């Protein structure tokens, strides 16, 4: 049994960096370089059982959630997940509930997968960047052809089977100029849950520069504002958009649930296919390799001083410019991986996306203030009644 309260979500990589797509902006394919000469790229049954046991033991909540990521996690194969569910059921403690979520590019989904997801109550996240070329420009197959038609076939199957789905949309320089085209496309698909993930890729050859696909900060802010206004007018209470949910939590004095907006991070580590533990999905490198679950328990790795220091550094390295910001509580400096710009005063550590986030959060404040007043004067209404 766990001896302390823990809030964590592990991104498990059962297939490591292996993927059947070659998306232009993928940051994980190169992680195969961490294991040169290794022929084993899939998680073994021994590692799987050890991980599931340790995850259950480390969990202090009634609900235990497993997050399967990649690469492309479906490349681990159906039998892998059948075995995972069998182990979970066998090791589950009385009074606990176990749920699974998987993030996929959607191209490998068929009716067999759908029946399994439905039977085992999986939540399936699927990556779509918009219609037509807005998706196909950057999300390509190994033969360099666009993948959207395959993805939509997978998504339509998931919908037909009634499986709980979420869309993850990477906002890049390609689709950022078309916010309502992208949002309306998702609405036509019948999507109920959307995450917009801004693309930031640093140019390794030019410090301080970014790739051509990287989203412009101000354009990203405008994208969010346009979608927010459309959502507020037509879809609040019907469609959940993660960043809007996070922004509106302040109306009810609720803390952030999304790691990038928390004051400290470190609660979303990675376990690779061989059991290696890394501090975060965006810091899978030798510097942030803190151990292996076959040699040290997941609980001790989560509670380690190295992981705690990694999490504290997010706040401790925040520039003075950010500490004085009027929307600090809504942003908290966002993800440390994006904090590579100088502030107007020349201090290092400003988030590349700062101006865009500031524009968006300031746009939300009038509506947030209305919610605060309504909540204060109508205590019989629940936060969920407003916060979709």
């Amino acid at each position: 049994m766990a001896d302390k309260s823990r809030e964590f979500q592990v991104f498990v990589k059962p297939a490591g960096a292996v993927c059947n797509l070659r998306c232009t902006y993928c940051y994980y394919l190169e992680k195969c370089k961490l294991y040169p000469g290794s022929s084993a790229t899939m998680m073994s049954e021994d590692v799987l059982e050890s991980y599931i046991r340790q995850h259950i033991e480390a969990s202090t909540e009634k609900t235990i959630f497993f997050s399967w990521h990649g690469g492309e996690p479906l490349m681990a194969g159906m039998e892998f997940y059948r075995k995972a569910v069998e182990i979970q059921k066998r090791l589950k403690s009385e009074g606990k509930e176990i749920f699974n979520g998987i993030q996929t590019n959607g191209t490998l989904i068929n009716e067999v997968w759908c029946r399994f997801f439905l039977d085992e109550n999986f939540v399936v996240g699927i990556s779509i960047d918009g219609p037509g070329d807005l998706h196909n420009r950057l999300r390509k197959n190994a033969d360099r052809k666009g993948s959207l038609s395959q993805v939509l076939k997978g998504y339509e199957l998931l919908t037909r089977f009634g499986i709980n789905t979420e869309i993850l949309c990477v906002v890049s320089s390609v689709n950022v100029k078309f916010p309502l085209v992208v949002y309306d496309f998702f609405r036509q698909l019948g999507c109920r849950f959307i995450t917009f993930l801004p693309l930031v890729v640093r140019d390794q050859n030019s410090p301080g520069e970014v790739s051509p696909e990287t989203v412009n900060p101000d354009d990203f802010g405008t994208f969010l504002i346009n979608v927010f206004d459309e959502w507020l007018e037509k879809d609040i209470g019907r469609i959940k958009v993660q960043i809007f949910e996070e922004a509106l939590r302040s109306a009810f004095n609720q803390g952030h649930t999304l790691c990038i907006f928390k004051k400290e991070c470190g609660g979303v580590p990675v376990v690779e296919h061989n059991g290696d533990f890394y501090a975060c999905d965006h810091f899978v490198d030798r510097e942030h390799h803190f151990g292996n679950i076959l040699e040290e328990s997941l609980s001790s790795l989560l509670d380690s001083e190295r992981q705690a220091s990694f999490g504290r550094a997010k706040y401790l390295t925040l520039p003075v410019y950010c500490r004085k910001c009027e929307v600090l509580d809504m942003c908290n400096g966002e993800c440390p991986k994006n904090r590579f710009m100088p502030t107007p005063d020349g201090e290092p550590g400003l988030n590349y996306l700062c101006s865009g986030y500031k524009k968006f959060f300031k746009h939300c404040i009038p509506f947030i203030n209305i919610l605060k007043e309504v909540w204060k004067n109508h205590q019989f209404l629940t936060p969920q009644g407003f916060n979709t």
Side-chain angles (χ1 to χ4, degrees):
M1 294 294 293
D3 56 2
K4 62 180 293 185
S5 177
R6 293 187 191 88
E7 183 180 345
F8 69 92
Q9 178 186 8
V10 179
F11 280 6
V12 192
K13 310 282 187 171
V18 175
C19 186
N20 62 318
L21 295 189
R22 292 297 179 266
C23 301
T24 303
Y25 54 67
C26 182
Y27 63 91
Y28 216 82
L29 281 176
E30 66 176 22
K31 302 306 177 183
C32 63
K33 297 176 183 177
L34 292 169
Y35 305 100
S38 174
S39 59
T41 57
M42 300 292 171
M43 182 175 284
S44 70
E45 188 174 325
D46 288 344
V47 175
L48 174 64
E49 178 151 354
S50 181
Y51 166 67
I52 291 174
R53 176 181 288 107
Q54 293 184 46
H55 187 121
I56 292 172
E57 290 173 349
S59 299
T60 58
E61 305 299 319
K62 179 181 177 181
T63 300
I64 304 173
F65 194 82
F66 287 83
S67 299
W68 306 98
H69 280 246
E72 173 48 51
L74 294 193
M75 294 192 75
M78 173 70 68
E79 291 310 309
F80 175 88
Y81 293 101
R82 291 192 192 281
K83 175 58 68 174
V85 170
E86 181 273 315
I87 295 170
Q88 290 171 351
K89 291 176 179 177
R90 172 160 49 86
L91 298 180
K92 182 176 72 73
S93 304
E94 187 176 350
K96 299 278 189 177
E97 288 186 288
I98 291 181
F99 295 94
N100 288 277
I102 193 164
Q103 182 64 40
T104 174
N105 62 43
T107 62
L108 301 177
I109 292 173
N110 56 29
E111 292 192 2
V112 178
W113 277 111
C114 287
R115 280 192 287 270
F116 171 76
F117 292 146
L118 182 64
D119 290 344
E120 302 301 343
N121 199 27
F122 269 60
V123 175
V124 180
I126 191 164
S127 298
I128 309 177
D129 291 352
D133 203 42
L134 298 185
H135 176 98
N136 285 333
R137 278 271 299 279
L138 302 181
R139 297 192 64 84
K140 297 181 182 294
N141 291 300
D143 61 5
R144 311 314 297 171
K145 294 181 180 179
S147 62
L148 183 61
S149 60
Q150 295 168 276
V151 176
L152 291 181
K153 287 179 183 177
Y155 185 80
E156 288 162 5
L157 275 174
L158 292 169
T159 302
R160 176 148 55 89
F161 275 78
I163 294 161
N164 291 324
T165 58
E166 303 175 355
I167 286 181
L168 188 152
C169 173
V170 174
V171 183
S172 68
S173 62
V174 174
N175 58 5
V176 71
K177 296 290 189 179
F178 305 93
L180 297 187
V181 172
V182 171
Y183 181 62
D184 190 57
F185 179 64
F186 295 155
R187 189 159 47 192
Q188 290 177 30
L189 289 177
C191 179
R192 297 292 305 278
F193 301 91
I194 305 171
T195 293
F196 290 116
L197 182 67
L199 178 63
V200 180
V201 180
R202 298 177 67 175
D203 187 334
Q204 298 303 315
N205 298 318
S206 302
E209 299 296 320
V210 294
S211 72
E213 297 85 9
T214 291
V215 69
N216 174 275
D218 289 326
D219 287 348
F220 180 58
T222 301
F223 178 99
L224 292 177
I225 287 170
N226 286 335
V227 176
F228 180 81
D229 289 347
E230 180 79 357
W231 171 82
L232 199 59
E233 179 182 350
K234 299 178 180 179
D235 298 314
I236 187 170
R238 190 175 69 86
I239 297 175
K240 289 191 176 185
V241 180
Q242 189 181 52
I243 190 170
F244 303 166
E245 298 281 312
E246 290 295 320
L248 300 186
R249 292 181 71 83
S250 62
F252 311 106
N253 296 316
Q254 296 175 327
H256 288 296
T257 61
L258 187 59
C259 64
I260 61 173
F261 296 136
K262 289 185 176 183
K263 187 174 181 179
E264 295 184 0
C265 58
V268 190
V270 162
V271 170
E272 258 287 351
H273 65 285
N274 65 344
D276 280 347
F277 178 100
Y278 293 90
C280 168
D281 194 38
H282 291 288
F283 291 86
V284 176
D285 52 42
R286 289 184 173 84
E287 180 184 354
H288 297 92
H289 172 229
F290 293 165
N292 187 290
I293 62 167
L294 300 182
E295 301 168 356
E296 189 174 355
S297 72
L298 180 62
S299 296
S300 62
L301 289 164
L302 289 166
D303 298 342
S304 70
E305 179 55 33
R306 292 181 73 183
Q307 187 70 5
S309 295
F310 172 81
R312 287 194 299 267
K314 176 178 179 178
Y315 176 75
L316 295 177
T317 59
L318 203 61
V320 173
Y321 176 81
C322 296
R323 296 172 191 266
K324 296 179 179 179
C325 180
E326 62 187 299
V327 295
L328 173 62
D329 289 344
M330 302 177 77
C331 171
N332 285 309
E334 206 245 5
C335 184
K337 82 176 182 68
N338 295 330
R339 285 163 47 176
F340 54 86
M341 301 296 289
T343 68
D345 300 327
E347 188 179 2
L350 181 67
N351 195 295
Y352 168 81
L353 296 165
C354 173
S355 61
Y357 276 122
K358 186 178 293 186
K359 179 191 293 188
F360 167 66
F361 286 132
K362 288 174 71 173
H363 181 80
C364 294
I365 287 175
F367 182 67
I368 289 171
N369 289 337
I370 291 172
L371 286 186
K372 284 181 179 178
E373 286 301 310
V374 173
W375 171 239
K376 182 172 67 175
N377 296 321
H378 300 81
Q379 290 294 320
F380 59 88
L381 294 174
T382 66
Q384 289 74 21
F386 295 107
N387 196 15
T388 63

